[in-house]
Amino acid sequence: MILPIYIYGHPVLRKVAQDIDPETYPNLKELIDNMFETMYNADGIGLAGPQVGLEDRIFVVDLSPLEDEEHPEFKDFKKAFINAHIIERGGELDAVEEGCLSIPGIHEKVPREEEIRIQYLDENLQPHDEVFSGFRARVIQHEYDHIDGILFVDKISPLRKRMVKGKLANMEKGKVACEYRIRTVR
Ligand code: NI
């Protein structure tokens, strides 16, 4: 089922999401399936719980559509991250353009660390403690920010922030054009 994607200005996007109890969480498998379906429908490569209105530490990523000769490592990079916690970040800060399904029509360069170490449960509730670098680390950090109530536009330069202020203000008023199913604050 395709879920509505919550748009910039909705307070749920600013909540620090909480760990879930996978044993008692209702229909976790179905939720993860729905999150992937919602993400694919909107041509995204990542989607986090708050973007579908949940205050739960869950996000999904799938980089396989970006696989090519230069990036064979994207091929099987389809993952759910449950109760994720980044425990280390390192390497150089690098600024690369990002977008977000909750902030349609805005793409800006975002500085992020090159490498992360993250602990999480996968969709089968198996625990992982892994290091990711490069673009995979970037996408994970973007989604991870969502479960901490942080959006990529928080991290762009003051000049660029001024440039996108009007568009963001419109989103907060519910004025946004989008081809996928969305929910605005009003
Ligand atoms: Ni996003």
Side-chain angles (χ1 to χ4, degrees):
M1 185 176 68
I2 292 169
L3 307 168
I5 294 178
Y6 287 57
I7 295 295
Y8 184 90
H10 199 290
V12 74
L13 294 172
R14 292 308 194 175
K15 295 274 169 65
V16 176
Q18 301 300 311
D19 281 347
I20 63 155
D21 179 352
E23 302 303 322
T24 59
Y25 196 90
N27 307 323
L28 183 58
K29 274 240 150 63
E30 192 186 337
L31 169 65
I32 289 169
D33 286 346
N34 289 344
M35 286 177 71
F36 275 117
E37 192 183 347
T38 301
M39 178 183 87
Y40 296 138
N41 178 63
D43 290 327
I45 54 172
L47 188 72
Q51 294 182 277
V52 290
L54 301 171
E55 295 176 35
D56 301 322
R57 290 187 90 78
I58 300 174
F59 60 86
V60 298
V61 299
D62 186 357
L63 298 187
S64 58
L66 303 180
E67 185 220 348
D68 60 17
E69 276 177 22
E70 275 178 52
H71 300 102
E73 73 275 18
F74 293 167
K75 184 169 181 266
D76 298 315
F77 200 75
K78 175 183 176 181
K79 282 173 178 291
F81 293 77
I82 298 161
N83 295 352
H85 293 275
I86 290 180
I87 54 168
E88 261 179 271
R89 300 177 195 249
E92 305 244 312
L93 274 179
D94 187 21
V96 172
E97 198 170 272
E98 295 184 13
C100 181
L101 296 177
S102 292
I103 313 176
I106 296 180
H107 295 84
E108 295 291 339
K109 281 191 171 179
V110 184
R112 293 197 190 274
E113 266 121 348
E114 155 72 15
E115 194 170 271
I116 55 157
R117 183 176 161 204
I118 187 168
Q119 295 176 337
Y120 65 97
L121 304 175
D122 65 23
E123 62 273 33
N124 300 312
L125 307 182
Q126 294 305 301
H128 296 266
D129 183 337
E130 291 172 335
V131 172
F132 294 103
S133 59
F135 190 69
R136 288 181 293 182
R138 170 169 296 276
V139 173
I140 291 169
Q141 287 178 86
H142 176 116
E143 300 312 324
Y144 187 85
D145 274 353
H146 275 299
I147 60 173
D148 275 342
I150 299 165
L151 299 170
F152 83 90
V153 289
D154 302 343
K155 299 190 161 181
I156 63 178
S157 72
L159 171 67
R160 295 305 307 169
K161 247 179 223 174
R162 283 203 296 279
M163 303 292 283
V164 299
K165 209 175 152 194
K167 275 190 190 173
L168 292 176
N170 279 339
M171 283 181 215
E172 286 177 322
K173 289 178 203 141
K175 279 193 259 172
V176 53
C178 214
E179 285 182 11
Y180 42 88
R181 202 178 154 207
I182 58 170
R183 180 158 300 162
T184 58
V185 72
R186 61 185 98 190

